[in-house]
Amino acid sequence: MKILHTADWHLGKRLDRFSRLEEQIPVMEEIIGIADEEKVDLVLVAGDLFDSFNPGVDAIELFYKTLKRLSQNGKRPVIAISGNHDSPSLISAPDPLARECGIILIGHPKAEVLPFDTDYFKISESRPGFIELSIQHLGFPVRVLHMPFANEIRLKEYFGENKEEEINKVLSETWKKLADEFCDESGVNLLTAHLYMNKKDAEILEEPEGEKPIKIGNADLIYSDIIPDQIQYTALGHLHAFQNIGTAEKPVIYSSSPLCYSFSEAGQKKYVSIINAEPGKPVSFEKKILKSGRSLVRKTFTSVEDTIWWLKENQNTFIELTLESETFLTADERKRIHQTHNGIVHLIPKVKSQVTTDQKEHEINLNQDIGVLFKDYFKSKNGGQEANEELINLFNEILNT
């Protein structure tokens, strides 16, 4: 069988004042196209479906339309779990209707999905945190352990753990019990979760800039070695770069977000994972690159003319722009820069430090003209840089007001 794994859609995401919804529409089309082209039998969406607990109408509409098309109107099962950006109740609410389209929405940890069947597949077994699918054209069952994002409060509610008990132990025991009972070599065995997970003794993985950090209970880290041996592939969400923290034989994959969502992701390529699986054998997987969306770029320039030339040549970008110069940018220079490009998220002027020769402390004469005091103050705070005429005029305008 073939499986498509994707995660961290963050539908409704904004980058400062810029909405990303216009880019999310074509990248969802890409994911649907890959699923159809690869003829996948199952789709896993591993959390952070939306960017906020209360997504806008446009984001919700895009979400439902995408899932319906991924499911081919009920022919292909789609399993989507909530992440730390999602409201579990919002994700779970439409489940009865979604099931009519072959979509399984799981909002809460240890949720028990009610069994149902379509003309193409059915849920043949269900327990809290586990489902088994029988897909019509496959000669074997597909087992999925599922773990939506669980904060400390949700864990207490659903697992009843002691405050001192580590999340590693809670998850390890829960997953092992389910795997030992249901996951033998007669079927394909999968796990999907929205967690901050690391490989033991490996470098700690960085969470994306601007991403809500995940800390669960009293344990900072969850390690991939707690995944039961029976699990052939683990589909994770939360980290936005594609990476395997498992092994080649038993991959534990962060599939990446479909777009770059913060400047810490500048230059990253984005993917979905296509998995080939059969009972009792190691899986293989392939990264399928996603090409939609504007790239995110951090650039530093030392002249306005160089800045404008680069901006004209790189229109399909969002930019964090730093401009180093001897003097502060004038209003006209700022205007020229912003008129050249419509994707400037941050413009950071940086005046080169000037070392003053007079390092001695001197007494401040507060009886001086306030304009002279302002010039002295500005110079002392900016490495000896003189305030330009435009700034002086603005200061005088404020005084006169």
Side-chain angles (χ1 to χ4, degrees), residues 1-3 38-43 75-77 119-122 124 132-144 186-190 275-279:
M1 70 176 297
K2 274 190 174 181
I3 303 151
E38 293 291 330
K39 297 182 171 61
V40 302
D41 304 293
L42 171 67
V43 176
K75 294 179 182 178
R76 175 167 55 206
D119 292 337
Y120 303 94
F121 74 90
K122 68 177 181 178
S124 50
E132 180 180 270
L133 300 171
S134 294
I135 300 173
Q136 196 175 72
H137 62 275
L138 299 179
F140 51 83
V142 182
R143 292 77 173 250
V144 183
S186 67
V188 165
N189 303 313
L190 309 169
I275 306 103
N276 287 282
E278 57 183 300

Side-chain angles (χ1 to χ4, degrees), residues 10 13 38 64 108 123 162 168 173 182 185-186 198 222 232 239-240 245 251 258 263 318 338 348 386 397:
H10 289 274
K13 176 76 174 177
E38 293 291 330
Y64 292 141
H108 294 90
I123 294 181
N162 296 320
N168 254 27
E173 290 175 354
F182 297 107
E185 292 192 354
S186 67
N198 281 261
I222 301 165
Q232 295 163 271
L239 301 185
H240 289 185
I245 61 170
F263 284 102
F318 284 117
H338 280 289
I348 307 166
E386 299 278 0
E397 185 180 330

Side-chain angles (χ1 to χ4, degrees), residues 258-319:
L259 298 172
C260 293
Y261 284 134
S262 71
F263 284 102
S264 64
E265 300 169 49
Q268 281 184 10
K269 295 190 182 302
K270 299 299 183 176
Y271 304 91
V272 296
S273 180
I274 300 294
I275 306 103
N276 287 282
E278 57 183 300
K281 294 183 179 179
V283 302
S284 62
F285 71 91
E286 179 186 2
K287 298 189 298 185
K288 286 282 184 180
I289 194 164
L290 298 171
K291 299 174 183 176
S292 298
R294 296 169 78 160
S295 57
L296 269 60
V297 181
R298 276 176 164 154
K299 293 288 288 184
T300 299
F301 294 95
T302 56
S303 81
V304 172
E305 296 308 318
D306 287 348
T307 303
I308 289 172
W309 178 86
W310 188 90
L311 292 174
K312 286 179 178 178
E313 295 295 314
N314 296 273
Q315 289 290 310
N316 193 34
T317 53
F318 284 117
I319 310 147

Side-chain angles (χ1 to χ4, degrees), residues 65 88 148 205 229 250 257:
K65 283 183 175 179
L205 301 171
D229 291 337
K250 292 190 176 179
S257 55

